[in-house]
């Protein structure tokens, strides 16, 4: 055995203990971590002939990187939609690494990890009050979840037209309708050979809305003259967390022939609370749903899952089957995840979710969701009452979309945001909404509390006043 490997094996306890203490220190001070840094780190591209061994590598990492790691898992990082990590999710994730399993199939590997993955999917279905007519699986993020769902949708379109696209390639135009698809759904269309320009955009349902105008949707459907299509709908748009009217879409689905996909990367969590679950009423009638876990479930990157109705299982198998590999068995003989999703070998990324769901239960997640919504509403009330800011849309769930009240100048808004982010106390990200430069603050971190809101509001006021006096 290589000498450095041998030393590390002998020093395992010391190594893990050091990392445990370092992890504890990070987690205990995460509230004070800067939410942004401007690292000036030079690349050190040389691979050592003789490695440093674990302990010295940890030292080197700490010297070079540790102090510029931002508190993106902390309570005041409100950019994009970025969750934190619950304590139980951390231990689940550590164990996923330690056990290093590859969840595929029960019989071929004699391995329990597939059972853990399936059980976690079942827990998630319960959390979201979804029926077990969905088959789920874990992927790296909502992008890959959208990709997986839309890949099966593509195969469904083929089947409607008497074609097998998975086998023979795409030979027909695939009709896609959507109002405000997430960029990752568009990216998926590009990866799937459907084409990113190939989306018929439906009008939104009025000013400040990002939801589908149902009348316009029906007009577009009628214009398709019976051609099957894919509807990409939203449970939570990134700017304003808007939801399509699922009740109305479910009614359309009874009249017309289409694949209904819901991107609920974070908005799906509205289902976890009786205060917000009306937003997803009737969503269980969809054919496929995307949900992220590394956002509001507060498990570490990278983790999401997809759900596709079991009635489409054959189409899913046609799309993803890993055939021509006799050593992996017959796809139809034995359930194996590698025949139902993009990856073959995979990490046991269900484990952190299993730990967190088991540790905190339904009530734990309801509390997380209710708290995030409350934080968003407090910020939003401050913005409404402040002379410096105004909302660009009503706050419907956990995302606050706002801008400066006394200017329409995009440069000024961006200057404010840069100065705010440079305080290192809070981090938000820009957007453009209704043609105006806006700022988004998204609440999904389980740790955020009133003391954070005080800091956020104080910094926003300070920066607005100082920019004004310049
Ligand atoms: C974040 C997000 C995605 C993409 O998710 P990743 O986890 O970054 O791949 C897709 N859709 C929506 C609505 C999102 O918020």
């Amino acid at each position: 055995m290589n000498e450095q490997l041998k030393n590390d094996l002998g020093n395992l306890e010391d190594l893990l203990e050091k990392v445990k203490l370092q992890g504890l220190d990070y987690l205990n001070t995460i509230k004070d971590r800067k939410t942004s840094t401007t690292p000036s780190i030079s690349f050190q591209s040389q691979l050592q002939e003789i490695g440093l061994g674990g302990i010295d590598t940890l030292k080197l990492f700490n010297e070079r990187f540790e102090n510029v790691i931002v508190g993106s898992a902390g309570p005041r990082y409100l950019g994009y939609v970025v969750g934190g990590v619950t304590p139980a999710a951390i231990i689940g994730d550590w164990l996923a690494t330690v056990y290093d399993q590859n969840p595929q199939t029960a019989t071929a590997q004699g391995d329990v990890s597939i059972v853990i993955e399936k059980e976690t999917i079942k827990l998630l279905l319960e959390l979201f009050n979804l029926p077990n007519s969905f088959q789920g699986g874990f992927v790296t993020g909502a992008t890959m979840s959208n990709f997986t769902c839309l890949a099966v949708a593509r195969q469904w379109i083929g089947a409607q037209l008497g074609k097998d696209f998975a086998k023979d390639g795409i030979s027909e135009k695939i009709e896609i309708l959507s109002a405000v698809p997430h960029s990752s759904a568009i990216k998926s269309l590009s990866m799937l050979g459907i084409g990113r320009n190939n989306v018929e955009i439906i009008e939104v349902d009025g000013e400040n809305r990002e939801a589908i105008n149902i009348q316009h949707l029906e007009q577009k459907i009628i214009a398709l003259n019976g051609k099957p299509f894919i509807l990409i709908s939203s449970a939570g748009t990134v700017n304003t967390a808007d939801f399509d009217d699922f009740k109305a879409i479910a009614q359309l689905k009874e009249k017309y022939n289409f694949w209904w996909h819901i991107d609920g990367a974070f908005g799906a969590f509205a289902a976890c609370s009786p205060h917000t679950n009306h937003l997803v009423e009737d969503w269980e009638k969809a054919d496929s749903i995307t949900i992220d876990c590394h956002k509001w479930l507060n498990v570490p990157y990278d983790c999401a899952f997809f759900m596709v109705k079991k009635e489409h299982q054959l189409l899913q198998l046609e799309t993803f089957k890993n055939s021509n590999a006799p050593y992996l068995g017959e796809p139809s003989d034995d359930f194996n995840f590698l025949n139902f999703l993009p990856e073959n070998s995979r990490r046991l990324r269900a484990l952190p979710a299993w730990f967190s769901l088991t540790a905190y239960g339904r009530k734990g997640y309801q509390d997380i969701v209710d708290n995030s919504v409350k934080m968003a509403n407090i910020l939003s009330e401050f913005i409404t009452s402040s002379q410096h800011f105004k909302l660009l849309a009503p706050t419907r769930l956990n995302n606050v979309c706002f801008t400066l009240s006394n200017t329409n100048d995009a440069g000024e808004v961006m200057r404010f945001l840069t100065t705010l982010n440079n305080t290192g106390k809070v981090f938000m990200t820009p957007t453009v909404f209704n043609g105006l430069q806006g700022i988004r603050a998204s609440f999904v971190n389980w740790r955020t509390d009133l003391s954070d809101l005080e800091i956020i509001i104080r910094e926003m006021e300070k920066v607005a006043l100082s920019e004004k006096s310049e």
Side-chain angles (χ1 to χ4, degrees), residues 256-331:
Y256 304 102
N257 188 30
F258 62 96
W259 180 285
W260 177 15
H261 174 64
I262 298 177
D263 181 351
F266 67 89
F269 285 80
C272 300
S273 168
H275 304 116
T276 48
N277 63 7
H278 60 276
L279 292 167
V280 293
E281 211 177 319
D282 273 358
W283 70 326
E284 71 279 0
K285 298 187 175 142
D287 295 288
S288 57
I289 305 179
T290 283
I291 303 182
D292 239 330
C293 298
H294 52 222
K295 289 175 180 169
W296 227 341
L297 197 70
N298 281 270
V299 302
Y301 292 105
D302 41 21
C303 190
F305 70 110
F306 63 81
M307 282 178 290
V308 175
K309 279 273 168 71
K310 282 179 182 160
E311 66 194 76
H312 303 307
Q313 198 163 35
L314 192 59
L315 297 167
Q316 196 174 345
L317 181 63
E318 285 169 2
T319 308
F320 292 110
K321 77 176 164 193
N322 192 69
S323 44
N324 305 324
Y327 76 106
L328 292 170
E330 250 319 292

Side-chain angles (χ1 to χ4, degrees), residues 81 140-146 182-185 234-238 263-267 290 292 294-295 301 303-304:
V81 185
T140 51
T143 303
M144 281 317 289
S145 178
N146 279 331
H182 187 264
S183 54
S184 67
S234 300
T237 53
V238 281
D263 181 351
F266 67 89
T290 283
D292 239 330
H294 52 222
K295 289 175 180 169
Y301 292 105
C303 190

Side-chain angles (χ1 to χ4, degrees), residues 284-457:
E284 71 279 0
K285 298 187 175 142
D287 295 288
S288 57
I289 305 179
T290 283
I291 303 182
D292 239 330
C293 298
H294 52 222
K295 289 175 180 169
W296 227 341
L297 197 70
N298 281 270
V299 302
Y301 292 105
D302 41 21
C303 190
F305 70 110
F306 63 81
M307 282 178 290
V308 175
K309 279 273 168 71
K310 282 179 182 160
E311 66 194 76
H312 303 307
Q313 198 163 35
L314 192 59
L315 297 167
Q316 196 174 345
L317 181 63
E318 285 169 2
T319 308
F320 292 110
K321 77 176 164 193
N322 192 69
S323 44
N324 305 324
Y327 76 106
L328 292 170
E330 250 319 292
S332 45
D333 284 355
D334 179 22
F335 180 88
N336 187 330
F337 272 115
L338 64 74
N339 292 312
F340 289 92
L341 41 71
E343 296 95 349
N344 282 7
S345 299
R346 293 177 310 139
R347 170 183 180 75
L348 179 50
R349 57 170 60 81
L351 199 56
W354 186 91
F355 265 80
S356 203
L357 288 162
T358 306
Y360 311 117
R362 199 183 279 285
K363 180 71 164 54
Y365 279 97
Q366 185 193 322
D367 288 347
I368 291 175
V369 168
D370 284 344
N371 180 64
S372 299
V373 171
K374 182 175 157 197
M375 296 299 122
N377 283 327
I378 293 174
L379 180 63
S380 173
E381 277 158 28
F382 158 71
I383 285 169
T384 310
S385 66
S386 160
Q387 62 185 98
H388 304 299
F389 309 103
K390 66 175 179 206
L391 290 177
L392 283 176
T395 298
R396 301 185 176 96
L397 191 66
N398 62 319
N399 285 358
V400 182
C401 188
F402 69 99
T403 191
L404 300 181
S405 58
N406 51 4
T407 176
N408 281 340
D409 182 64
E412 254 180 79
V413 177
M414 288 306 292
R415 261 196 306 284
F416 165 83
L417 180 60
T418 305
T419 313
L420 182 70
N421 285 343
N422 284 346
T423 64
K425 297 234 163 69
V426 55
F427 190 85
M428 301 181 186
T429 40
T431 190
V432 174
F433 184 68
N434 277 342
L436 287 175
Q437 183 65 55
I439 297 172
R440 296 170 58 257
S442 178
F443 292 87
V444 285
N445 189 298
W446 66 280
R447 287 177 179 264
T448 312
D449 65 19
L450 290 174
S451 70
D452 295 305
L453 259 290
E454 269 172 35
I455 295 172
I456 293 164
I457 288 172

Side-chain angles (χ1 to χ4, degrees), residues 50 53 66 115 149 236 305 440 470:
I50 305 292
E66 210 287 330
V115 179
C149 295
F305 70 110
R440 296 170 58 257
E470 269 169 24

